[in-house]
Amino acid sequence: MVVQNARLLKDEATEEKGDRARMASFVGAMAIADLVKTTLGPKGMDKILQSTGRGHSVTVTNDGATILKSLHIDNPAAKVLVDISKVQDDEVGDGTTSVVVLAGELLREAEKLVNKKIHPMTIIAGYRMAAECARSALLQKAKDNKQDPDTFKSDLMKIAMTTLSSKILSMDKEQFAKLAVDAVLRLKGSTNLESIHIIKKVGGSLKDSFLDEGFILDKKIGIGQPKRIENAKILVANTAMDTDKVKIYGARVRVDSMAKVAEIEGAEKDKMKDKVQKIINHGINCFVNRQLIYNFPEELFADAGVLAIEHADFDGIERLALVTGGEIASTFDNPESVKLGHCKLIEEIMIGEDKLIHFSGVEMGQACTIVLRGASSHVLDEAERSLHDALCVLSQTVNDSRVLFGGGWPEMIMSKEVDELARKTPGKRSHAIEAFSHALQAIPTIIADNAGLDSAELISQLRAEHHKEITNAGIDVISGGVGDMEKLGISESFKVKQAVLLSATEAAEMILRVDEIITCAPRKREDRM
Amino acid sequence: MAATAAVPRASSSKTESYVDTKRRDDVRQANIIAARAVADAVRTSLGPKGMDKMIASANGEVIITNDGATILNKMEVIQPAAKMLVDLSRSQDAAAGDGTTTVVVLAGSLLKSSLSLLSAGVHPTAVSDALHRLSIRAVDVLHGMAIPLDLSNRDALVKSAATSLNSKVVSQYSSLLAPLAVDAVLSVVDPAQPDIVDLRDVKIVKKLGGTVDDTELVKGLVFDKKVSHSAGGPTRVENAKIAVIQFQISPPKTDIEQSIVVSDYTQMDRILREERNYILGMVKKIKATGCNVLLIQKSILRDAVTDLSLHYLAKVKILVVKDVERDEIEFITKTLNCLPIANIEHFREDKLGFANCVEEASVGDGKIVKITGIKDMGRTTTVLVRGSNQLVLDEAERSLHDALCVVRCLVNKKFLIAGGGAPEIEMSRQLGAWAKELQGMDSYCIKEFAEALEVIPYTLAENAGLNSIVIVTELRNRHAQGEINAGINVRKGQITNILEENIVQPLLVSTSTITLAAECVRMILKIDDIVTVR
């Protein structure tokens, strides 16, 4: 037993040292990686996330980032992995599962090395060299078809299909890939996904989803107002359309007769009328407000033939202002300084059972709306997440047009190069480099395992195939063998792969460096007796 | 949470190559069993001889229904996979309105076959892919069986509405309700957009008393409200000029808090006088436009009308209906072809609506207001549903809603298909034949699923107290001989050509049943873990 040291830490604060600490973080990280492992690849499985909060709401998902985000975690190393998946989601949008799985595998390999009494720092140095080597291998093999618009578009299609094939949309992936590519190409290189609006409507099936040029607002048109406006001038506002209240607490008026109350009421009405008149004086024929529009102003707008939409959500009006090229106004005294939005046509359309307002021919040509239909809200939510992943990857690829093949091809390429590096490197580091190569091979192994294939057999075939100078071999999950990725049209974005490689390595390195975990005592609630 | 999960996983991580799938299978099996339990719960309510369920909710309320969507909605399931089945019936309700029980029973049966496939060692994704191919092919089969329909063919529409009503509590009234549903939907179809029906244009008003027999279609408006005639106003107005107002005829009230300071006795009289004058002024303005019926929107801030204003309105012979909900305003203005008026200053004649007659009728123990003979009436219609008790009334409303949906489906997609289990057995037969052409896993799975489709005729027969095995095998035989419209005639208890029995349903209901059920089952199959989260 270790001699009891003098107490440094407060009561209840715990401290774990050396091997124990490292063990705890390895176990935590690997548990997380194992949890999401089964969702990887085209035949990956989904998870039910059951909330313990109110309503016990249920989410069905295949998206690593979504699963990890909602977990209860009480292990610091596991938290690091959740964070890298979050970063991956923000940066490139896809590969959120891969990054966690790779980091988990790197740690699994590292654990073995540590057990062989290799110093963690040596492992880190080896990992660093290996990562650098793997990255340059990828760089060499990446293809860039930006100059040729047709091949580039087909590249995009392939990437979208590869991304979607692991998701719920896999059966209709061609349709959705086309939808995503069209939407992203409309952005013309900007990565601002704000102008792609996704509307979910329960009913119909996923096949009925469509891309609409223009903007759709899930709101109703006021009573008695025109249902169709051509060449609309739109004022987007966030203003109170009930009454401008005196915002001093307890303000009140004292009068001595009923007539005066009526006068004040009249004055309030007049004030509203003035406000409406000011708004109409902007020369608009469509008014969209974030707040409620009461009956009285609604009628005034109807009289003036202005289409008034009330209670649009904040997200909705911001996006509407963006796509129509207007600004959100809250004062109406200077019509000149307010930028109005424009669009060619506003009309009411019906999707399923609901009426929505459709703005077409908007100022900002990039804007478009994707209407998703599906059997239930679970399907829709998952479809939205999948589509969002595809959109993110595509918009990244438009900027960085280098592509790689998928299906475990990049991992095998990297692993081969890293293996060679291991042979050239003298010293203990070579063990670590070799371990890195093993970890890389784990990804195709898991893809094969998830598909119910014989992974050991397939990986060895694949490795033999990759020993040749030029190869496009990867795992063909559909036929269950080794296939030519170029012919199968399975592509991935270079940027995603690079991000997976680098952040997984970094995360593994960070966790490896840990040799002590100090858990602070939770703050005590003061007992109130 | 993670700490506890980490312990067993850590031990499995040492033996790398061994893939532990036991737990995953358990989760999947638990899901499937839970979902099938839900399907079994509603199974007995399928078909014309299906039974009803009585649901007692926590607050002591009792509902008797045969409608799958309603039963499932009221069942408080917690198991996530079971919840998905509840959602499934809800989306069938949204997509087609009818067939909410069928879709759940079908999903349950597909899950049952999936379970046996899984235990035979088929990979879940292979099962899921096969199911997807099956659903596409099944829709083709259904299209092949469909009979095109012309909307002018009212008989055919009535038949399909009657088929939907036959399985409900109110089935004995189907001869009344079916034509009513057809007329209601057809009257709201806009000739400019012949494919779209907005069921919100059909208003259903429920009133206790009488029997379902007294249910009627009203060309006009019905309010489940009394005329406010405490001050002796009229209860019947002919040649009505109707105004829908969103302001209040009561003493003024400002948005800022106000108080009237009375400092001496004479002022009180003056204030009372002023109040009278104020209201009288408003009433006079209203009368000046010739208006004689007022519909007043409910207001939460102040009284819509006071006794005083009612008194004045009664004197000038204006009929008043108060407390009209804000959501109803759009429907009312659309029907009356008028505009709502939000301020007394805008009270003009051109905003009024016209009708031949507005009257208060006493119905059962309550009273309703009827507006008939509306000039330039919008494309809306109202159905007044009657019933001897609240339970019957509610069920009648739900059944009528289903019938309306059926007609709507036909307007959307103008195809009919035979009922009585005929489409399911035909799908099962054709898909079974197709499975023999296929190879490998697909063939195996599709054969299994094709058999699962037979659950519908099987259940129909079983619920009707027939010998289901005899019936289904005979049905299979008849279909094999090319009688694609042979189905179960529950009344006669034998197999007949179902088209001759006038048992038809919209194609849309059948197609959405199969696609939605398949989609839901595929989703359940792909789940391998349940994770508890915040």
Side-chain angles (χ1 to χ4, degrees):
Chain A
M1 275 302 287
V2 187
V3 181
Q4 188 75 41
N5 288 345
R7 255 199 133 52
L8 272 175
L9 301 164
K10 242 188 180 173
D11 281 355
E12 289 182 31
T14 55
E15 189 185 14
E16 289 184 64
K17 277 186 173 169
D19 279 351
R20 281 182 61 94
R22 203 166 285 129
M23 188 67 168
S25 45
F26 283 161
V27 166
M30 278 188 276
I32 290 293
D34 282 345
L35 180 72
V36 291
K37 201 162 99 170
T38 53
T39 65
L40 198 70
K43 298 236 169 165
M45 290 292 152
D46 297 355
K47 307 262 175 220
I48 287 186
L49 305 181
Q50 187 171 32
S51 130
T52 48
R54 264 204 328 155
H56 292 276
S57 63
V58 170
T59 317
V60 179
T61 186
N62 180 283
D63 184 36
T66 314
I67 300 172
L68 294 174
K69 205 154 51 184
S70 30
L71 283 175
H72 291 288
I73 287 173
D74 189 27
N75 181 307
K79 273 206 176 113
V80 172
L81 287 200
V82 172
D83 280 344
I84 57 165
S85 120
K86 231 180 261 175
V87 168
Q88 179 83 3
D89 197 26
D90 296 341
E91 288 284 314
V92 285
D94 195 24
T96 49
T97 314
S98 312
V99 69
V100 173
V101 172
L102 185 58
E105 290 302 327
L106 285 174
L107 288 172
R108 204 189 298 274
E109 295 293 335
E111 188 190 13
K112 288 185 203 157
L113 294 177
V114 170
N115 287 343
K116 286 184 199 156
K117 305 281 180 253
I118 294 178
H119 195 273
M121 281 307 161
T122 320
I123 303 176
I124 289 170
Y127 275 10
R128 277 201 184 159
M129 283 172 67
E132 193 44 50
C133 161
R135 189 171 161 264
S136 58
L138 275 191
L139 264 175
Q140 272 175 12
K141 298 280 181 177
K143 285 183 193 154
D144 193 345
N145 288 327
K146 189 132 203 174
Q147 275 67 41
D148 184 356
D150 281 343
T151 9
F152 182 52
K153 198 172 171 189
S154 82
D155 271 354
L156 285 181
M157 274 300 276
K158 281 181 197 163
I159 291 177
M161 289 209 310
T162 311
T163 305
L164 291 173
S165 66
S166 64
K167 312 278 156 115
I168 190 171
L169 303 172
S170 62
M171 276 302 159
D172 307 310
K173 64 181 171 194
E174 263 173 60
Q175 181 193 353
F176 281 97
K178 196 168 173 322
L179 219 135
V181 170
D182 284 351
V184 167
L185 284 181
R186 287 178 74 89
L187 293 177
K188 299 190 186 71
S190 105
T191 49
N192 181 11
L193 293 178
E194 282 275 291
S195 46
I196 300 177
H197 186 44
I198 299 180
I199 287 187
K200 296 175 282 182
K201 280 277 160 210
V202 177
S205 74
L206 286 171
K207 274 228 172 61
D208 301 330
S209 309
F210 60 94
L211 176 85
D212 192 275
E213 300 175 5
F215 186 80
I216 295 177
L217 196 64
D218 192 358
K219 282 285 166 272
K220 272 178 152 173
I221 296 176
I223 301 162
Q225 290 161 352
K227 303 270 182 216
R228 187 188 154 89
I229 289 182
E230 282 180 33
N231 288 326
K233 293 196 200 73
I234 307 158
L235 178 65
V236 186
N238 181 8
T239 180
M241 289 307 279
D242 39 1
T243 33
D244 288 335
K245 283 190 185 120
V246 180
K247 288 200 178 112
I248 303 169
Y249 181 70
R252 57 161 60 188
V253 277
R254 274 170 199 276
V255 287
D256 58 359
S257 78
M258 199 57 100
K260 285 193 178 152
V261 180
E263 263 173 41
I264 294 170
E265 196 191 13
E268 278 175 352
K269 285 262 158 71
D270 281 343
K271 220 171 154 222
M272 194 71 250
K273 209 168 165 176
D274 281 351
K275 190 168 180 181
V276 172
Q277 197 52 49
K278 269 185 203 158
I279 292 171
I280 295 172
N281 283 346
H282 286 68
I284 55 162
N285 45 21
C286 174
F287 177 67
V288 182
N289 193 12
R290 194 181 93 73
Q291 299 178 22
L292 282 173
I293 302 178
Y294 273 42
N295 299 328
F296 178 59
E298 185 177 338
E299 191 196 5
L300 292 174
F301 282 123
D303 276 353
V306 172
L307 195 161
I309 300 162
E310 66 166 7
H311 218 202
D313 53 304
F314 203 79
D315 217 25
I317 62 160
E318 268 192 351
R319 209 169 272 166
L320 184 66
L322 178 78
V323 297
T324 57
E327 271 172 9
I328 299 171
S330 51
T331 53
F332 308 100
D333 291 325
N334 306 309
E336 317 82 47
S337 64
V338 175
K339 250 175 91 181
L340 296 180
H342 295 274
C343 80
K344 295 232 168 57
L345 178 68
I346 301 178
E347 61 184 339
E348 212 175 38
I349 53 165
M350 250 182 110
I351 299 176
E353 278 196 359
D354 295 320
K355 282 182 178 160
L356 301 112
I357 305 167
H358 181 216
F359 299 78
S360 50
V362 291
E363 194 106 309
M364 195 160 112
Q366 296 104 302
C368 59
T369 304
I370 295 173
V371 179
L372 287 179
R373 306 294 312 276
S376 70
S377 53
H378 302 149
V379 176
L380 282 181
D381 287 346
E382 179 64 1
E384 188 194 4
R385 280 191 289 270
S386 318
L387 197 61
H388 179 256
D389 279 5
L391 288 175
C392 285
V393 176
L394 288 178
S395 68
Q396 296 291 339
T397 317
V398 169
N399 285 344
D400 184 344
S401 60
R402 284 169 291 184
V403 288
L404 297 165
F405 292 122
W409 179 83
E411 283 81 11
M412 293 313 287
I413 293 279
M414 288 191 278
S415 135
K416 186 186 159 202
E417 289 294 320
V418 172
D419 260 343
E420 257 160 43
L421 177 73
R423 256 170 257 150
K424 281 182 243 159
T425 316
K428 275 187 187 169
R429 277 178 303 179
S430 76
H431 288 290
I433 298 173
E434 214 169 326
F436 195 90
S437 145
H438 273 290
L440 282 171
Q441 282 178 23
I443 289 199
T445 315
I446 292 169
I447 294 180
D449 273 342
N450 284 348
L453 304 172
D454 184 352
S455 57
E457 169 75 18
L458 267 179
I459 297 305
S460 48
Q461 276 187 27
L462 203 57
R463 207 166 39 209
E465 196 68 32
H466 273 267
H467 210 66
K468 296 174 192 160
E469 203 49 46
I470 293 167
T471 179
N472 297 330
I475 296 178
D476 179 2
V477 173
I478 312 298
S479 72
V482 171
D484 186 336
M485 290 297 119
E486 189 170 18
K487 280 192 199 132
L488 292 167
I490 299 175
S491 293
E492 276 179 89
S493 155
F494 170 75
K495 204 161 172 186
V496 172
K497 272 288 158 224
Q498 176 181 294
V500 167
L501 179 71
L502 296 184
S503 24
T505 317
E506 257 169 41
E509 186 183 322
M510 200 146 70
I511 295 172
L512 264 175
R513 279 172 184 271
V514 173
D515 75 337
E516 177 158 340
I517 301 174
I518 298 174
T519 317
C520 297
R523 191 156 38 148
K524 276 267 176 72
R525 292 225 182 94
E526 275 163 40
D527 288 331
R528 265 170 285 174
M529 292 302 282
Chain B
M1 162 61 210
T4 53
V7 180
R9 276 165 206 281
S11 60
S12 75
S13 73
K14 280 189 185 124
T15 49
E16 271 246 8
S17 53
Y18 173 64
V19 185
D20 181 21
T21 54
K22 176 125 180 33
R23 190 177 136 69
R24 277 188 248 156
D25 285 347
D26 284 350
V27 168
R28 198 171 282 127
Q29 202 155 356
N31 280 341
I32 292 177
I33 288 168
R36 277 187 52 206
V38 171
D40 284 342
V42 293
R43 212 171 95 106
T44 51
S45 67
L46 189 80
K49 298 242 170 146
M51 289 296 151
D52 300 345
K53 305 270 174 215
M54 186 182 259
I55 305 164
S57 60
N59 54 15
E61 196 190 337
V62 175
I63 299 167
I64 297 178
T65 184
N66 182 286
D67 183 41
T70 315
I71 301 172
L72 292 173
N73 260 337
K74 300 283 170 189
M75 278 178 23
E76 284 172 13
V77 294
I78 311 174
Q79 215 280 342
K83 253 188 188 166
M84 289 170 66
L85 242 65
V86 176
D87 279 350
L88 168 71
S89 106
R90 207 175 289 154
S91 30
Q92 171 78 3
D93 199 25
D98 196 19
T100 48
T101 315
T102 319
V103 72
V104 174
V105 172
L106 194 63
S109 167
L110 290 176
L111 282 171
K112 190 177 162 195
S113 347
S114 319
L115 197 60
S116 73
L117 286 171
L118 289 180
S119 55
V122 184
H123 196 271
T125 47
V127 179
S128 152
D129 289 355
L131 194 53
H132 182 71
R133 294 185 62 180
L134 174 110
S135 73
I136 292 172
R137 185 74 178 218
V139 170
D140 289 347
V141 174
L142 289 174
H143 277 279
M145 287 179 76
I147 310 151
L149 165 89
D150 190 2
L151 277 193
S152 55
N153 184 355
R154 188 162 170 275
D155 269 357
L157 290 173
V158 173
K159 274 183 218 163
S160 48
T163 309
S164 153
L165 287 169
N166 269 337
S167 62
K168 313 285 174 187
V169 179
V170 293
S171 58
Q172 67 267 39
Y173 303 110
S174 63
S175 57
L176 170 83
L177 294 180
L180 197 140
V182 173
D183 289 343
V185 172
L186 289 186
S187 65
V188 300
V189 175
D190 187 352
Q193 291 168 308
D195 292 340
I196 298 174
V197 182
D198 191 350
L199 280 188
R200 268 165 295 191
D201 290 341
V202 179
K203 187 179 166 193
I204 299 180
V205 178
K206 295 185 285 184
K207 197 73 193 162
L208 201 59
T211 58
V212 180
D213 265 332
D214 300 329
T215 300
E216 57 175 330
L217 183 73
V218 181
K219 284 265 169 219
L221 261 181
V222 173
F223 290 101
D224 184 12
K225 293 203 171 59
K226 285 196 295 191
V227 169
S228 306
H229 48 64
S230 55
T235 55
R236 182 187 164 87
V237 174
E238 287 188 11
N239 291 326
K241 290 184 179 175
I242 306 159
V244 180
I245 62 170
Q246 296 176 312
F247 61 91
Q248 297 83 23
I249 308 177
S250 56
K253 186 173 177 226
T254 54
D255 288 311
I256 314 175
E257 209 177 330
Q258 40 100 355
S259 58
I260 302 173
V261 184
V262 182
S263 52
D264 79 62
Y265 180 68
T266 51
Q267 268 184 339
M268 263 171 70
D269 260 355
R270 190 164 57 83
I271 288 166
L272 283 175
R273 203 165 51 240
E274 274 172 357
E275 186 182 327
R276 267 206 293 276
N277 282 340
Y278 179 79
I279 290 171
L280 196 59
M282 283 173 98
V283 173
K284 274 183 179 159
K285 270 183 197 154
I286 293 169
K287 190 62 196 170
T289 57
C291 163
N292 50 16
V293 175
L294 268 187
L295 307 177
I296 303 176
Q297 182 182 319
K298 200 174 194 168
S299 168
I300 44 164
L301 293 173
R302 58 198 247 202
D303 297 332
V305 280
T306 59
D307 286 344
L308 191 66
S309 53
L310 274 180
H311 173 73
Y312 284 125
L313 288 169
K315 276 206 167 160
V316 293
K317 301 253 173 301
I318 293 178
L319 187 151
V320 180
V321 179
K322 64 175 182 179
D323 291 351
V324 177
E325 298 290 339
R326 196 183 176 200
D327 337 338
E328 287 180 24
I329 295 286
E330 183 165 9
F331 181 79
I332 294 168
T333 51
K334 194 173 172 192
T335 313
L336 293 174
N337 197 15
C338 64
L339 287 173
I341 303 163
N343 188 352
I344 187 79
E345 304 298 328
H346 296 119
F347 208 110
R348 292 191 306 269
E349 202 177 346
D350 57 333
K351 288 192 173 174
L352 303 184
F354 300 90
N356 287 339
C357 182
V358 178
E359 61 175 337
E360 184 184 64
S362 66
V363 174
D365 58 348
K367 287 185 174 167
I368 55 164
V369 180
K370 257 192 203 178
I371 303 178
T372 47
I374 299 166
K375 197 175 134 199
D376 301 327
M377 190 171 139
R379 296 196 170 276
T380 59
T381 191
T382 307
V383 181
L384 178 63
V385 182
R386 306 292 311 277
S388 52
N389 62 47
Q390 196 64 41
L391 299 177
V392 172
L393 195 60
D394 290 346
E395 180 65 6
E397 189 208 357
R398 281 191 289 270
S399 312
L400 191 63
H401 173 257
D402 280 7
L404 288 173
C405 288
V406 165
V407 183
R408 183 189 61 171
C409 288
L410 287 173
V411 174
N412 284 353
K413 207 169 178 183
K414 300 180 178 59
F415 286 100
L416 279 175
I417 198 163
E424 284 80 11
I425 208 90
E426 183 63 19
M427 278 194 281
S428 165
R429 191 185 66 79
Q430 291 200 20
L431 294 171
W434 180 51
K436 285 177 192 145
E437 296 166 21
L438 294 172
Q439 279 182 342
M441 219 52 115
D442 270 356
S443 163
Y444 188 67
C445 296
I446 284 174
K447 184 176 138 275
E448 194 81 28
F449 285 130
E451 272 169 29
L453 292 175
E454 284 182 358
V455 72
I456 301 292
Y458 200 87
T459 313
L460 274 179
E462 202 175 275
N463 287 349
L466 306 171
N467 186 338
S468 46
I469 294 177
V470 172
I471 290 283
V472 171
T473 45
E474 192 191 338
L475 193 59
R476 224 186 273 163
N477 183 13
R478 296 278 281 270
H479 274 261
Q481 286 164 16
E483 290 180 49
I484 60 163
N485 289 322
I488 303 172
N489 186 334
V490 177
R491 285 203 199 88
K492 291 184 186 155
Q494 62 195 38
I495 310 283
T496 50
N497 184 339
I498 215 77
L499 284 183
E500 283 166 12
E501 301 290 330
N502 293 340
I503 300 175
V504 283
Q505 62 189 40
L507 176 64
L508 192 66
V509 171
S510 293
T511 51
S512 93
T513 307
I514 184 94
T515 46
L516 289 179
E519 210 163 285
C520 178
V521 171
R522 287 178 52 213
M523 196 138 178
I524 293 178
L525 280 177
K526 283 195 82 179
I527 292 163
D528 73 338
D529 210 349
I530 298 179
V531 184
T532 319
V533 297
R534 262 171 292 232

